[in-house]
Amino acid sequence: MVNKEQVEGKATEAKGKITGDDSEELKGKVKKKYGDAKEKAKDLADDAASKVNDTLDKKDKEDQ
């Protein structure tokens, strides 16, 4: 899934490339990387929550 920061970063980077503004291009790259990191963190959190839920479900079944 693509998040807001990734989209905005890509657009800002493209704008910088088109206008020849290296600073704007760099801002876009940084924002895009921030979005990538944010997405990765979300994926890791989702994976961890899934594993915890599976473990708790298994424990509940054993207790019954």
Side-chain angles (χ1 to χ4, degrees):
M1 181 174 196
V2 177
N3 62 38
K4 176 182 165 187
E5 285 82 8
Q6 291 168 315
V7 172
E8 288 177 355
K10 199 169 204 176
T12 303
E13 181 182 356
K15 177 183 164 190
K17 283 181 180 182
I18 291 169
T19 61
D21 186 341
D22 291 339
S23 177
E24 192 75 4
E25 183 178 347
L26 179 59
K27 286 178 191 176
K29 287 180 181 180
V30 170
K31 191 163 198 170
K32 187 174 159 214
K33 289 292 181 187
Y34 170 73
D36 293 345
K38 188 174 174 181
E39 188 69 25
K40 179 72 173 174
K42 182 185 176 304
D43 290 344
L44 290 172
D46 287 346
D47 288 346
S50 178
K51 288 178 183 177
V52 169
N53 281 328
D54 290 346
T55 301
L56 292 175
D57 289 346
K58 184 178 177 183
K59 177 79 171 120
D60 285 344
K61 286 180 183 178
E62 290 174 357
D63 290 343
Q64 292 177 355

